[in-house]
Amino acid sequence: MHFLDQAKIYIRSGAGGPGAVSFRREKYIQYGGPDGGNGGKGGDVVFEAVPGLNTLIDFRYTQHFKAKRGGHGMGKNRNGAAADDLVIKVPVGTQVISDEDGETVLADLTEAGQRVVLLEGGMGGRGNASYKTSTNRAPRQHQPGIPAEELWVWLRLKLLADVGLVGMPNAGKSTFINKLSNAKAKVGSYAFTTLRPQLGVVYHKGREFVLADIPGLIAGAADGAGIGDRFLGHIERCRVLVHLIDISSDDPVEAMRVVEEELDAYGGGLEDKPRLVALNKVDLVDDELAADYARELLKAGADEVFPISGASGKGMSKLLDAVIEYLPAATVTERPEGEQEQLDEKPWSPI
């Protein structure tokens, strides 16, 4: 499945059905009077956040969504049928943004099952029976129904994750998320191996949280260098950021400064989020050199440095202990006891 985090679509609600002009004509009934029914209500355009979706790829091939119009009023005082609502299902974390300025957020769907009526269907028109009065015994006026509303909007997906993973290319982010979760992120010895965000569920000490990995940042990403900074929107909702720095790079301190500056240039609240600095790939150097680099990062502004190895798992437990301290109890959930016991048991074997 291809990952797509933004799409432009056209939506239109249903118009109201017109009211009818009709008169009762039956044998032996001399004064039947008006009996035109009202028109039915048009369908609303409703956006619903559903679990199990993490891409907007469906909206690349279907871009026009039109609700049905209400039914026509008819004679014998029969009202038109109301049209069904048009429900557009989107992933959790989707924002509906106006196409006029590209910034106004019309709806923000952050919870599974959340529904937002973006365009209301038109009300049905009145039939001539509703105009009958003591002085107007044979009205012929009616209403055509309220017309439909239409709009072009942008859908923008911001993945919901508790922890965001940032760093320069080849910092070891893919290896890191693969080590902690069942994510199958591509790992390579060249820059920009990760081309789209990756999500992984991490279990630590009976608790779980969602980790998001985004493509690496380089100097000038805010101006479009490399892959740019468009994927930074996927970590705007994270509670804490883990900044991975490659200890084998030419200058780890400069690497930290570059990423920090790009986060500040992007804005969106990322500059104020708590960050945990992790010095990765310490298995490639001796402990003394790792300690020296850690002291330099602390002097450069890091609050605390965690020497880790994404390949061997060294130091990961201490880093995860620090991560879960930033997550409230409502976000971090405990794994069911039965599931924990089942995982701890030895797999069955006929031998």
Side-chain angles (χ1 to χ4, degrees), residues 247 252-253 279 285-299 305 307:
I247 196 173
V253 175
L279 193 57
V285 300
D286 55 33
D287 295 339
E288 183 178 355
L289 181 59
D292 291 340
Y293 276 130
R295 284 192 291 269
E296 291 184 12
L297 292 174
L298 290 173
K299 293 180 181 179
V305 179

Side-chain angles (χ1 to χ4, degrees), residues 240-252:
V240 61
L241 302 180
V242 176
H243 184 177
L244 237 59
I245 300 176
D246 184 3
I247 196 173
S248 62
S249 62
D250 296 336
D251 190 348

Side-chain angles (χ1 to χ4, degrees), residues 52-84:
L53 294 179
N54 57 5
T55 177
L56 298 174
I57 188 64
D58 294 337
F59 298 98
R60 170 170 289 181
Y61 308 106
T62 304
Q63 299 171 341
H64 291 76
F65 297 86
K66 303 175 183 178
K68 294 183 179 180
R69 68 176 303 167
H72 292 244
M74 293 175 285
K76 299 183 180 179
N77 291 313
R78 291 176 293 175
N79 295 331
D84 295 332

Side-chain angles (χ1 to χ4, degrees), residues 5-317:
D5 61 350
Q6 61 182 13
K8 183 179 180 180
I9 63 173
Y10 168 84
I11 55 177
R12 187 180 71 187
S13 62
V21 176
S22 175
F23 293 90
R24 183 180 181 185
R25 290 184 175 87
E26 296 184 30
K27 192 175 183 180
Y28 305 120
I29 298 178
Q30 184 176 6
Y31 302 106
D35 64 353
N38 301 327
K41 178 182 179 298
D44 298 337
V45 176
V46 182
F47 284 88
E48 179 181 4
V50 297
L53 294 179
N54 57 5
T55 177
L56 298 174
I57 188 64
D58 294 337
F59 298 98
R60 170 170 289 181
Y61 308 106
T62 304
Q63 299 171 341
H64 291 76
F65 297 86
K66 303 175 183 178
K68 294 183 179 180
R69 68 176 303 167
H72 292 244
M74 293 175 285
K76 299 183 180 179
N77 291 313
R78 291 176 293 175
N79 295 331
D84 295 332
D85 294 337
L86 175 62
V87 179
I88 303 176
K89 297 182 178 182
V90 296
V92 179
T94 300
Q95 290 182 331
V96 184
I97 301 174
S98 173
D99 181 50
E100 294 183 359
D101 56 6
E103 296 179 357
T104 304
V105 178
L106 305 177
D108 193 1
L109 304 166
T110 58
E111 299 179 359
Q114 182 180 354
R115 294 167 65 99
V116 175
V117 178
L118 201 66
L119 295 181
E120 293 187 356
M123 297 298 297
R126 295 170 58 187
N128 68 333
S130 64
Y131 287 98
K132 182 177 64 174
T133 65
S134 60
T135 58
N136 186 11
R137 301 289 183 103
R140 294 182 178 275
Q141 64 264 43
H142 72 288
Q143 288 180 334
I146 298 178
E149 298 179 356
E150 57 184 4
L151 194 63
W152 281 95
V153 296
W154 280 94
L155 301 182
R156 185 173 302 165
L157 175 61
K158 292 184 178 180
L159 297 177
L160 295 181
D162 303 309
V163 182
L165 195 59
V166 297
M168 297 192 70
N170 281 346
K173 299 188 300 298
S174 297
T175 302
F176 183 89
I177 194 173
N178 289 345
K179 184 71 174 179
L180 297 178
S181 69
N182 289 328
K184 305 298 181 183
K186 184 179 179 181
V187 177
S189 58
Y190 53 90
F192 300 112
T193 306
T194 301
L195 298 177
R196 63 183 181 88
Q198 300 280 347
L199 287 179
V201 179
V202 180
Y203 296 96
H204 181 63
K205 293 185 177 179
R207 306 169 77 179
E208 69 177 22
F209 59 88
V210 179
L211 176 66
D213 172 29
I214 63 171
L217 300 172
I218 63 174
D223 300 323
I227 299 181
D229 61 355
R230 58 167 295 190
F231 291 117
L232 286 177
H234 294 289
I235 60 173
E236 285 185 16
R237 307 178 191 267
C238 295
R239 300 182 182 273
V240 61
L241 302 180
V242 176
H243 184 177
L244 237 59
I245 300 176
D246 184 3
I247 196 173
S248 62
S249 62
D250 296 336
D251 190 348
V253 175
E254 177 65 16
M256 183 181 74
R257 185 192 62 80
V258 168
V259 174
E260 296 287 336
E261 289 182 352
E262 295 304 323
L263 294 178
D264 293 342
Y266 177 81
L270 295 182
E271 66 277 7
D272 299 325
K273 287 189 180 295
R275 303 169 194 171
L276 300 176
V277 177
L279 193 57
N280 195 21
K281 304 181 183 180
V282 296
D283 55 313
L284 302 179
V285 300
D286 55 33
D287 295 339
E288 183 178 355
L289 181 59
D292 291 340
Y293 276 130
R295 284 192 291 269
E296 291 184 12
L297 292 174
L298 290 173
K299 293 180 181 179
D303 295 331
E304 187 176 1
V305 179
F306 298 87
I308 67 167
S309 172
S312 65
K314 180 180 178 180
M316 301 282 270
S317 180

Side-chain angles (χ1 to χ4, degrees), residues 31 43 81 320 329 345:
Y31 302 106
L320 295 181
E345 293 179 357

